[in-house]
Amino acid sequence: MKKTSIFNFSNIYIFLWLVYSLQTYVFGRAGTIYSQAILLFLLGVSIYYFIYTLNNYKMPSYMKGLCVLVAMFTIYGIILILNPTTYKTISGETVSKYKYLLHIWSSLLPIYPFFVFTRQGKLNATSLKRWVLFFFVSVTLQYYQHYQQQLSEAMLAGSNREEFTNNFGYEFLAMIPLLAFYGKRKIIQYIGLSYTMIFILMSMKRGAILVSVICIIWFLLVSFKHSRSVQKIRVVVFGIIVIIAGYYVIQYLLESSDFFNQRLELTMEGDSSGRDVIYATLVNHYLNETNPLLFLFGNGAYTPLSILGQSAHNDWLELALNQGVFGMLVYLLYWMGFYKSTKKSRYDEELFLAMSLLLISNFIRSFFSMSYGDMSIYATMCLGYCMGRLSNQKNIQGNTST
C-alpha cells in the first residue's frame, strides 16, 4: 500500500473540521471570526471538489443521486435568500436565511472531497483508522461540552436539573459504521461498540438508542456471517460482552436516573415528544392549504418554520412542504441509489458492513429526525471513503474486462 504524507491535503481538511467541531475548546467560545473563517474555507474546498468530481469521475449510483439532491437544495436555498420574508423560531428568534444552505452544504458537500481523496490515494484504510481514534476523542469532548452548556443554562434559569437529553448521542451513532474497518482487530471493534452504546444510552435520545440497537444487531449478524468457524466463536463472545455491558449500563441508569426512568415510561406510553401534533398540523397544511403547483413543487425552503416555528423533524414531511412531490421523488431516488451502491459493495465485507450501517442508520433517522441536513464529519468521511473505494473497484473491474 502506498504511504501517504501526514501533511497531505486530506489530513489538513480533516484536521480543520475537527478544529471547527471543537471550536469552543480551541477558541474559548463558538461563533468566533476564526471558526467562521475555517468554515468558509472548508465549504469553499467542498464546493471545489463537488465541481471537480462532476468533471473528472464516473460516480457510483449514490453519488449521482446525491448530486441531484444537492442541486435541488441549492436552487431552493438561493430562492430562500432572495425571498424578503422573515422567519422566526417558536421562541421568536429570527433565523438567518443563509443558514439553510449552510447546514445543507456542511452536511452533504464534504462527501465529495473524501471521495476524491480516496480515489487519489490520499485517504486510505490506514489513515482512516488513525483518524477514527481522534474522532472518538472529539465526539466525547463535544458530548461533555454540550452537557456543561445545558447544565449552565439550567442553573441560570434557577433549575437544579442535572440530567438532559443530549443530541450528541447521534454523533456517537455516526461512529459505528467506521468501526467496520477494524475487521482484523475485533477487540477494537467491540470496545468501540461498547463505548458508543454507553454514551448513546447516556444521551437519553430515544431515536438514537433505537437506531443504535438495530445497527449493533446488524453489525454482529454480518460479522458472524462472514467469519470463519474459529472467528465465529470470537464474534459470539464479544457480542455477549457488548450485550452484558449494555445490560449493566441500563441497570445502572434505571437505579440512579429518574430522568431515564421518565423517558422510558414516556416511551412505553407512546409519547412522541409532540411529534404527532407537529406531523398532523403539517400534513393537514400540505394536503388542504395548498394548490396543485405548490403540491408538486412545494412552498419553498423553511415552510415548516414559517408554519410552526420549527422543523418538521421528518425528512419526508419537510421535503413535502418545502419541495413538494418533486422533492420527495428526488429523495426517493437518492435512497434507491444508496441501496444500489450498498448492494454492489458485497464483494468486500468491511465495505459492505460500513455502507449498510450508514444506509440503515440514516434511512431510519429520516422518519423521525433530520438526516440529510445533519450529517457529521464522521459520517461524511465514512461515506466518501466508501464511495471512493467502490468507484476504484469498478474501475479495476472495467480495466480488467477490456
Side-chain angles (χ1 to χ4, degrees):
M1 182 181 292
K2 183 180 178 181
K3 291 185 178 181
T4 59
S5 169
I6 192 173
F7 296 108
N8 74 54
F9 193 66
S10 170
N11 288 334
I12 294 171
Y13 182 78
I14 297 168
F15 175 74
L16 288 176
W17 269 116
L18 285 181
V19 171
Y20 180 76
S21 299
L22 296 170
Q23 57 183 285
T24 304
Y25 289 98
V26 178
F27 303 118
R29 60 184 178 87
T32 66
I33 190 172
Y34 305 109
S35 60
Q36 292 174 10
I38 289 173
L39 180 59
L40 286 175
F41 174 76
L42 291 169
L43 287 179
V45 170
S46 301
I47 292 170
Y48 168 80
Y49 279 107
F50 171 71
I51 298 169
Y52 186 87
T53 301
L54 292 176
N55 291 330
N56 292 278
Y57 293 109
K58 185 176 180 180
M59 295 175 286
S61 300
Y62 169 79
M63 299 287 289
K64 294 175 183 176
L66 179 62
C67 286
V68 178
L69 195 66
V70 169
M72 180 188 72
F73 285 136
T74 301
I75 292 169
Y76 276 78
I78 292 171
I79 294 172
L80 172 68
I81 292 170
L82 298 175
N83 184 351
T85 305
T86 300
Y87 297 88
K88 294 187 177 183
T89 65
I90 196 169
S91 61
E93 181 183 353
T94 300
V95 178
S96 170
K97 288 180 284 188
Y98 290 93
K99 284 190 176 181
Y100 178 81
L101 269 184
L102 196 66
H103 287 155
I104 295 293
W105 285 353
S106 299
S107 175
L108 299 178
L109 286 183
I111 295 170
Y112 293 93
F114 291 126
F115 171 79
V116 176
F117 295 151
T118 305
R119 288 296 306 269
Q120 294 177 342
K122 295 176 182 177
L123 178 63
N124 56 37
T126 301
S127 58
L128 179 139
K129 286 185 283 189
R130 286 173 181 165
W131 276 115
V132 169
L133 301 177
F134 289 100
F135 288 172
F136 269 110
V137 174
S138 171
V139 72
T140 303
L141 290 173
Q142 287 177 275
Y143 178 93
Y144 280 113
Q145 188 276 327
H146 187 64
Y147 172 74
Q148 289 298 327
Q149 180 182 341
Q150 290 176 303
L151 196 62
S152 298
E153 290 174 354
M155 291 176 64
L156 287 173
S159 172
N160 59 356
R161 278 187 64 184
E162 294 184 353
E163 294 182 301
F164 314 88
T165 57
N166 194 318
N167 287 329
F168 278 90
Y170 282 111
E171 303 293 304
F172 279 98
L173 178 62
M175 294 297 298
I176 294 177
L178 287 165
L179 293 171
F181 298 107
Y182 291 90
K184 294 181 180 179
R185 304 184 71 178
K186 295 292 184 184
I187 185 68
I188 294 179
Q189 282 188 331
Y190 293 103
I191 289 174
L193 284 176
S194 300
Y195 189 80
T196 57
M197 180 184 62
I198 289 169
F199 275 90
I200 290 170
L201 285 170
M202 287 167 52
S203 75
M204 311 284 186
K205 293 294 293 186
R206 292 175 292 179
I209 293 171
L210 170 65
V211 179
S212 68
V213 169
I214 295 172
C215 285
I216 290 173
I217 291 172
W218 179 254
F219 197 111
L220 295 174
L221 287 174
V222 173
S223 297
F224 183 82
K225 181 180 178 181
H226 290 91
S227 298
R228 297 174 184 174
S229 298
V230 176
Q231 292 176 327
K232 287 183 187 294
I233 297 174
R234 292 181 183 176
V235 173
V236 171
V237 170
F238 283 129
I240 292 172
I241 292 173
V242 171
I243 292 170
I244 291 173
Y247 169 79
Y248 277 108
V249 172
I250 292 173
Q251 191 67 28
Y252 171 77
L253 290 172
L254 287 172
E255 294 174 356
S256 63
S257 172
D258 292 334
F259 188 55
F260 185 81
N261 281 277
Q262 179 188 5
R263 298 286 288 176
L264 181 62
E265 185 179 341
L266 289 172
T267 302
M268 298 299 291
E269 293 174 355
D271 177 75
S272 61
S273 299
R275 280 176 170 78
D276 51 345
V277 177
I278 294 172
Y279 296 165
T281 303
L282 295 179
V283 168
N284 178 68
H285 185 278
Y286 178 64
L287 296 177
N288 301 312
E289 300 178 31
T290 186
N291 59 54
L293 184 64
L294 296 179
F295 185 83
L296 290 173
F297 296 101
N299 294 267
Y302 276 172
T303 297
L305 186 65
S306 66
I307 298 170
L308 292 175
Q310 58 183 309
S311 68
H313 294 285
N314 179 305
D315 281 352
W316 301 91
L317 189 52
E318 186 93 14
L319 285 161
L321 288 154
N322 290 347
Q323 286 89 17
V325 173
F326 168 68
M328 288 191 288
L329 287 175
V330 169
Y331 202 40
L332 179 62
L333 290 172
Y334 165 84
W335 285 112
M336 289 172 64
F338 205 153
Y339 173 77
K340 187 176 179 181
S341 292
T342 302
K343 193 174 180 181
K344 286 185 177 180
S345 70
R346 287 182 178 274
Y347 69 88
D348 185 307
E349 176 196 340
E350 291 184 351
L351 187 61
F352 173 72
L353 178 56
M355 287 184 61
S356 59
L357 286 167
L358 286 164
L359 175 63
I360 291 168
S361 59
N362 285 287
F363 183 69
I364 295 175
R365 189 179 172 188
S366 73
F367 289 99
F368 57 79
S369 183
M370 303 302 290
S371 174
Y372 63 76
D374 194 28
M375 284 193 189
S376 67
I377 189 64
Y378 321 119
T380 53
M381 187 175 92
C382 190
L383 257 172
Y385 174 74
C386 287
M387 294 303 156
R389 272 182 57 169
L390 184 63
S391 180
N392 276 333
Q393 180 64 23
K394 287 175 67 177
N395 286 335
I396 292 170
Q397 292 173 344
N399 291 334
T400 303
S401 63
T402 56

